Amino acid sequence: RAVEFGMAQCLAEGCDLLKKAALYENQDVGRTLTKWQEGGMISSYLVEISSKIYYKRDGITKKGHVIDHIVDSIDLNGSDTWFSLEATKLGVPAPTITAALEARFLSNMKEERVDASSILGAPEGADTPSVMKDQISEDLQGAIYSAWTCVVAEGLSIFVAAAEVGQWEVNLVECLRLWNLPASFLNSDMLDKMYSALTESQGNMQHVLLLPSISAQLQATHMSWRRIVTLCFASAIPCPCLGASLTYYDSYRSKILPSGLIRAQRDFFGGYGYNRFNEEGWYTSCWVQEHTDGLKRATKKLEKGANDEPKKKKKRKTK
């Protein structure tokens, strides 16, 4: 369910971008989705039904399309938070899945969002980037494909971590097979490729994103992904899952993260200490003169206390 909502949110963000940045009408979005379904990299059950949704005219008001009359808020039930909570307990990053959940939280703040829309600023007119519709459509496929890959990778990583803690076997290949059954909400060409990649690896992998065929595809699409997320940010169009998945990808592929500064800040504040590259032991620094002076005072106090400690009298032995 969490993976379903993650993939659905990614596609919804993409369609929103087509309407708000490329100024597509509903039928234009429908045609684009149909084109993707007939030969694109994100051909799937989700794209197929979404293309039909954008074509459906409203039979109640006789005006526009049904999609424009559906309230943009989604209720939650108790199980919707389980996957993100489990990821937190296991210490497994799942930012895209969590972003999809938080997007639903925000969707339920409808009245607040309406009020905020008239108060908080957003770029307009000349401040918004100029766009090429064909380029957006082409890039968007790559961005959604990449984000979907991260959603599934996060889900499988949680399964693996839970299996290690619970000491039970998990068959990731079988998971993907079941998710990708005909008429499944998740059925897609992307899962087909991931299933093949996992089958070929025979379970010998460090992370799904590192499987050769998957990493090669991400290498081919990551610039499209970056252009789409950049366009969303510059146009003030929310893209919680497209953005979170790209951050996940870049964080995972980074040799060095800025966590060192946070550790230094904690050491500066409270002497919590840190370990160092290629060195044994635990360290703390006197970051400023005040720290050095404080260390000297503390050392003197300890030394004085040791010297002033009364010597224990030796017990006399009695015969």
Side-chain angles (χ1 to χ4, degrees):
R1 187 177 173 90
V3 173
E4 288 175 357
F5 273 111
M7 291 178 64
Q9 177 68 30
C10 291
L11 183 60
E13 291 169 18
C15 293
D16 193 41
L17 179 67
L18 289 176
K19 294 189 70 173
K20 292 178 178 177
L23 304 179
Y24 277 26
E25 299 292 340
N26 288 324
Q27 59 269 26
D28 298 324
V29 178
R31 278 193 292 270
T32 299
L33 294 175
T34 300
K35 181 181 177 182
W36 292 350
Q37 179 63 17
E38 291 174 349
M41 65 175 65
I42 59 171
S43 178
S44 59
Y45 175 76
L46 197 53
V47 170
E48 179 184 2
I49 64 173
S50 299
S51 66
K52 295 174 181 177
I53 287 169
Y54 273 100
Y55 279 123
K56 182 66 175 177
R57 306 286 300 183
D58 187 50
I60 297 176
T61 64
K62 309 299 182 184
K63 296 178 181 178
H65 296 79
V66 175
I67 186 67
D68 294 324
H69 296 275
I70 299 176
V71 177
D72 57 327
S73 62
I74 306 176
D75 293 330
L76 290 91
N77 61 45
S79 64
D80 290 335
T81 61
W82 288 353
F83 216 50
S84 291
L85 290 173
E86 194 65 25
T88 301
K89 287 193 294 183
L90 293 169
V92 177
T96 318
I97 289 174
T98 301
L101 179 63
E102 292 177 347
R104 295 172 69 189
F105 294 158
L106 278 162
S107 78
N108 283 320
M109 300 167 62
K110 178 64 175 178
E111 292 184 3
E112 288 185 54
R113 289 190 288 112
V114 171
D115 291 339
S117 66
S118 62
I119 299 172
L120 302 178
E124 297 178 354
D127 292 331
T128 58
S130 58
V131 298
M132 297 174 62
K133 292 185 178 183
D134 291 342
Q135 183 69 51
I136 291 179
S137 177
E138 183 178 342
D139 281 344
L140 192 52
Q141 261 202 104
I144 293 172
Y145 183 97
S146 302
W148 280 3
T149 302
C150 288
V151 171
V152 176
E154 290 171 20
L156 295 180
S157 294
I158 295 170
F159 284 168
V160 170
E164 289 177 356
V165 172
Q167 296 184 332
W168 43 268
E169 293 184 6
V170 59
N171 189 331
L172 299 184
V173 174
E174 181 64 7
C175 286
L176 290 182
R177 187 190 71 81
L178 293 173
W179 286 355
N180 206 34
L181 289 173
S184 164
F185 193 82
L186 297 174
N187 180 250
S188 63
D189 287 352
M190 184 271 293
L191 278 185
D192 273 338
K193 294 176 181 178
M194 190 170 286
Y195 174 82
S196 298
L198 274 174
T199 302
E200 291 173 6
S201 75
Q202 298 180 335
N204 299 318
M205 63 166 195
Q206 183 177 3
H207 193 285
V208 172
L209 299 185
L210 299 182
L211 293 173
S213 61
I214 293 176
S215 62
Q217 184 63 63
L218 291 172
Q219 183 64 25
T221 57
H222 78 98
M223 287 308 300
S224 294
W225 197 5
R226 297 181 193 284
R227 285 191 292 267
I228 288 297
V229 172
T230 299
L231 177 60
C232 286
F233 286 167
S235 304
I237 299 171
C239 60
C241 281
L242 294 176
S245 58
L246 180 56
T247 299
Y248 174 70
Y249 172 83
D250 277 336
S251 295
Y252 185 66
R253 54 164 289 282
S254 293
K255 290 183 179 179
I256 300 292
L257 291 170
S259 308
L261 175 59
I262 298 171
R263 299 188 69 185
Q265 292 165 343
R266 300 300 296 168
D267 188 58
F268 188 110
F269 173 75
Y272 290 92
Y274 53 87
N275 51 344
R276 296 168 60 96
F277 292 118
N278 304 318
E279 293 183 34
E280 297 284 339
W282 197 250
Y283 295 80
T284 187
S285 291
C286 293
W287 298 94
V288 292
Q289 186 62 41
E290 181 183 353
H291 291 166
T292 304
D293 295 341
L295 179 61
K296 290 179 179 179
R297 289 194 297 270
T299 302
K300 288 181 179 179
K301 187 174 181 180
L302 288 172
E303 291 174 349
K304 185 175 185 300
N307 293 331
D308 292 345
E309 185 178 341
K311 296 181 179 179
K312 293 181 180 180
K313 293 181 179 180
K314 293 183 179 179
K315 291 182 179 181
R316 292 182 179 179
K317 293 181 180 181
T318 57
K319 293 182 179 180

